[in-house]
Amino acid sequence: MTINTIIDTLKREIDSYRFNHSLNVMETAEALARQYGADIHKARLAGILHDCGKNYKGEEARRFVKRIGYQAEEVEIRQPKLLHGIIGEYLAKEMYGVTDEEVLGAIRWHTTGKAGMNLLEKIIYIADYIEPLRSFDGIETMRRIAFEDLERCIVYCSESTIKFILKKGVLLHKNTVDTRNYSLMLIKDRNENI
Ligand SMILES: [Fe+2]
Ligand SMILES: [Fe+2]
């Protein structure tokens, strides 16, 4: 499937807010890929498809991942929104014909991040956060840091997620904590080596 066919198909599959958000993530991911020397086509592809699994909610999401043989963690079962990366990865492969493992990984991990993300995974994680439709306290700083220092931006994004989750009083996925700690350790190592 060409990216234009994917865009046309996706437009029919998801609601218009989610579709516009996906277009924005695609454009933002492209800008970040140019800044950091990542593959532009892969960044666009992962960006447009990152939320393609978002239609499946609650019990439907639980059933979906069970059917594809994913062993969901307790936190994910209780907070099924966390499953849309897994579902998205599956749909990207089966419905949109994506075979590139980097693109699939970026879709899979975009919600929580994980320790030791590759460049494309980092770009999609951040693009999802800073795309133009997003508005919250600190977003301007986040947008600036995104183009200056990817690692610092990840710390900023994951801390913002953690604060939001604590405020809401819902479950926190351990991968979000790992994402934050891992990037923070890289920054500390880097500073010690100067
Ligand atoms: Fe998402
Ligand atoms: Fe998203």
Side-chain angles (χ1 to χ4, degrees):
M1 245 189 228
T2 65
I3 194 145
N4 286 332
T5 316
I6 287 176
I7 293 172
D8 289 342
T9 312
L10 190 72
K11 193 174 185 175
R12 279 181 263 118
E13 290 293 322
I14 57 178
D15 67 65
S16 66
Y17 177 84
R18 190 60 47 192
F19 179 68
N20 289 330
H21 162 69
S22 301
L23 284 177
N24 284 347
V25 172
M26 177 178 80
E27 301 298 342
T28 307
E30 175 176 348
L32 288 167
R34 286 186 194 281
Q35 179 78 357
Y36 294 105
D39 186 302
I40 287 164
H41 175 69
K42 288 185 189 186
R44 286 176 65 81
L45 194 53
I48 192 69
L49 283 175
H50 80 287
D51 272 344
C52 73
K54 201 108 193 196
N55 278 350
Y56 294 84
K57 296 184 170 82
E59 193 49 35
E60 260 193 313
R62 290 187 200 106
R63 268 206 302 270
F64 191 107
V65 296
K66 204 170 177 188
R67 185 167 59 78
I68 63 171
Y70 174 74
Q71 294 280 337
E73 292 172 30
E74 187 63 30
V75 172
E76 296 168 331
I77 293 168
R78 288 170 183 261
Q79 206 96 310
K81 272 186 183 166
L82 289 166
L83 294 168
H84 78 273
I86 303 290
I87 297 171
E89 179 194 24
Y90 181 87
L91 292 176
K93 209 193 278 183
E94 301 301 324
M95 188 172 161
Y96 297 92
V98 176
T99 52
D100 186 280
E101 288 299 329
E102 273 188 285
V103 172
L104 294 172
I107 296 170
R108 177 179 187 130
W109 298 109
H110 82 270
T111 318
T112 58
K114 65 166 179 173
M117 286 191 281
N118 64 31
L119 181 57
L120 191 67
E121 287 162 351
K122 287 176 187 174
I123 284 175
I124 300 302
Y125 179 77
I126 289 174
D128 190 24
Y129 235 101
I130 63 164
E131 64 92 349
L133 277 172
R134 300 279 198 208
S135 96
F136 47 84
D137 273 355
I139 183 75
E140 288 312 324
T141 314
M142 212 177 266
R143 286 191 180 120
R144 184 173 44 78
I145 300 175
F147 287 87
E148 291 172 2
D149 187 334
L150 217 47
E151 229 58 65
R152 267 184 62 220
C153 191
I154 289 175
V155 172
Y156 208 96
C157 291
S158 50
E159 287 184 353
S160 160
T161 300
I162 292 167
K163 283 179 206 160
F164 177 75
I165 286 170
L166 295 185
K167 205 169 151 195
K168 259 181 105 179
V170 294
L171 293 165
L172 172 62
H173 198 291
K174 63 178 170 20
N175 282 351
T176 306
V177 178
D178 288 346
T179 301
R180 185 252 182 194
N181 284 347
Y182 191 88
S183 287
L184 196 58
M185 283 191 272
L186 287 182
I187 293 167
K188 289 192 187 302
D189 289 351
R190 195 168 68 184
N191 292 344
E192 273 162 26
N193 290 332
I194 289 172

